[in-house]
């Protein structure tokens, strides 16, 4: 059974390096020129509103005014990440680092871009640098853990997740749930199902509305031979995320193993429809093949019973 990964923690909008203040005069002052910092502030405001393309235009204007404005490159990298333009994000973060070599945020976010491109070693290098510059930033440890897990280094990933847990200053149940969920996945990859289950239980306790932890715990139940538990948790996934076709597939398999043949067929049928509607042709065809195989096996079992 397949399982899911958590997204990287990344974006923190950088504040401008300089702040504009007006001197105290009795007469009004006419501002005749917009500075790079003005454009930066406009871009930050657009980012906060979710207008990432417009934000990039403002950051471009800031850079046109001040070519070595490191914060503008760093913030433009954040907008690139939101628009999933990871190649440009790497370019912008690199420029930010060139102008401000001690910018830990730029290393952190370039690591995110590398991770999302599947370049886990490069992500780890950048996150090592981010940690060296700011050892108290739990995001860097957490993201490095994800990159190490992506690179197949699950034992090292667990160490990073542990460090992330020790560095969180303000406890947020949602953030903790994410870390426990991903540490559980690393334990799962290492075949330590008991430890994985403990982490998934913690993740669910901290965030009962995140379908991913239920999905992952269901997979752990299935690996442990607990098909009742798998059906229970995949049902929760479907309740929270009704179009999750993979949950229907996996619940169908668990139901088949329990002898609930009609339920298994119904789940496979729903899964195939969702895959088709979502344009996932390969998954759709594989589900139809699995449905056909289940029907043949059920028919064979029925014939033997009658005989």
């Amino acid at each position: 059974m397949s399982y899911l990964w958590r997204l990287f923690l990344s974006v923190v909008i950088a504040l401008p390096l300089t702040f504009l203040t007006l001197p105290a005069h009795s007469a009004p002052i006419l501002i005749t020129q917009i500075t790079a910092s003005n454009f930066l502030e406009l871009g930050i405001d657009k980012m906060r509103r979710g207008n990432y393309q417009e934000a990039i235009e403002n950051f471009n204007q800031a850079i046109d005014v001040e070519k070595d404005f490191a914060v503008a490159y760093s913030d433009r990298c954040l907008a690139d990440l939101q628009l999933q333009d990871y190649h440009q994000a790497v370019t912008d973060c690199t420029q930010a680092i060139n102008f401000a070599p001690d910018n830990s945020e730029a290393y952190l976010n370039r690591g995110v871009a590398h991770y999302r491109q599947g370049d886990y070693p490069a992500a780890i290098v950048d996150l090592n640098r981010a940690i060296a510059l700011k050892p108290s930033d739990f995001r860097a440890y957490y993201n490095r853990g994800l990159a190490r897990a992506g690179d197949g280094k699950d034992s090292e990933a667990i160490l990073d997740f542990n460090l992330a847990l020790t560095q969180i200053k303000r406890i947020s149940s949602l953030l903790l749930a994410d870390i426990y969920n991903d540490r559980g996945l690393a334990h799962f990859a290492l075949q330590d199902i008991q430890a994985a289950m403990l982490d998934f239980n913690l993740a669910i306790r901290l965030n009962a509305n995140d379908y991913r932890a239920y999905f992952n715990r269901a997979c752990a139940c299935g690996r442990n031979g607990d098909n009742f538990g798998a059906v229970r948790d995949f049902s929760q996934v479907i309740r929270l995320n009704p179009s999750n076709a993979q949950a229907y597939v996996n619940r169908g398999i668990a139901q088949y193993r329990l002898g609930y043949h009609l339920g298994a067929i119904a789940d496979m049928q729903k899964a195939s429809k969702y895959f088709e509607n979502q344009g996932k042709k390969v998954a759709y065809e594989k589900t139809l093949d699995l449905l056909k195989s289940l029907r043949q096996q059920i028919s064979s079992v029925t014939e033997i019973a009658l005989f």
Side-chain angles (χ1 to χ4, degrees):
M1 295 181 183
S2 61
Y3 52 95
L4 305 177
W5 288 100
R6 178 25 182 132
L7 295 177
F8 252 41
L9 287 176
S10 61
V11 295
V12 170
I13 297 177
L15 294 175
L17 295 177
T18 57
F19 297 89
L20 298 177
T21 57
L22 295 177
H25 289 283
S26 57
I29 297 175
L30 179 64
I31 299 176
T32 59
Q33 185 176 4
I34 299 178
T35 68
S37 291
N38 294 142
F39 284 123
L40 182 70
E41 289 282 9
L42 289 171
I44 290 172
D45 184 63
K46 299 284 179 57
M47 284 271 286
R48 287 171 177 156
R49 297 170 185 268
N51 300 325
Y52 303 115
Q53 193 59 57
E54 293 180 19
I56 286 175
E57 293 172 8
N58 288 137
F59 297 141
N60 291 343
Q61 291 170 314
I63 291 166
D64 287 340
V65 174
E66 191 173 328
K67 300 297 183 184
D68 61 349
F69 200 2
V71 178
Y73 287 104
S74 183
D75 283 350
R76 192 169 71 179
C77 168
L78 299 183
D80 296 331
L81 286 171
Q82 294 294 336
L83 295 172
Q84 300 182 18
D85 188 351
Y86 304 129
H87 177 77
Q88 185 60 43
V90 169
T91 300
D92 281 337
C93 282
T94 300
Q95 281 288 71
I97 290 166
N98 289 339
F99 293 126
D102 292 336
N103 186 341
S104 64
E105 291 291 329
Y107 282 105
L108 180 75
N109 293 318
R110 191 171 69 176
V112 174
H114 284 311
Y115 173 85
R116 292 182 178 168
Q117 289 179 313
D119 190 349
Y120 305 123
I124 292 168
V125 169
D126 275 342
L127 294 164
N128 286 343
R129 183 59 179 159
I131 290 167
L133 290 168
K134 194 174 181 181
S136 62
D137 192 341
F138 81 94
R139 298 171 303 161
Y141 294 106
Y142 177 57
N143 289 352
R144 190 174 68 178
L146 291 176
R148 283 176 164 170
D151 205 28
K153 300 173 181 176
D154 293 289
S155 295
E156 294 178 27
I158 290 171
L159 294 177
D160 274 336
F161 295 140
N162 292 342
L163 286 169
L165 288 168
T166 66
Q167 294 299 326
I168 295 179
K169 301 300 182 184
R170 296 179 180 177
I171 301 300
S172 164
S173 61
L174 298 183
L175 290 176
L176 287 173
D178 287 335
I179 297 172
Y180 284 123
N181 180 60
D182 286 303
R183 191 175 70 177
L185 289 172
H187 284 304
F188 187 95
L190 292 170
Q191 306 297 318
D192 189 347
I193 306 303
Q194 183 177 1
M197 288 289 289
L198 289 173
D199 276 342
F200 296 145
N201 289 341
L202 284 169
I204 290 168
R205 187 181 306 166
L206 290 164
N207 184 5
N209 293 317
D210 189 346
Y211 73 90
R212 295 167 302 171
Y214 289 105
F215 191 105
N216 295 335
R217 190 173 70 176
C219 292
C221 286
R223 183 68 62 86
N224 240 5
D226 179 8
N227 291 302
F228 284 108
V231 169
R232 175 201 64 212
D233 282 341
F234 284 128
S235 296
Q236 279 291 86
V237 174
I238 291 166
R239 183 183 68 82
L240 294 167
N241 186 12
S243 62
N244 192 314
Q246 190 62 52
Y248 281 107
V249 170
N250 290 356
R251 189 176 71 173
I253 293 171
Q255 292 209 83
Y256 174 78
R257 290 172 177 166
L258 290 169
Y260 303 153
H261 296 159
L262 293 178
I265 289 175
D267 275 346
M268 292 298 172
Q269 289 172 331
K270 287 181 180 177
S272 65
K273 289 180 180 178
Y274 278 120
F275 280 135
E276 183 180 27
N277 293 338
Q278 294 162 7
K280 298 178 180 179
K281 185 177 180 181
V282 174
Y284 169 68
E285 292 176 349
K286 287 185 176 180
T287 303
L288 289 181
D289 289 341
L290 184 56
L291 178 59
K292 181 180 178 180
S293 176
L294 283 181
R295 281 174 168 158
Q296 289 174 343
Q297 292 180 48
I298 291 168
S299 176
S300 176
V301 168
T302 302
E303 290 176 1
I304 293 172
L306 290 173
F307 180 78

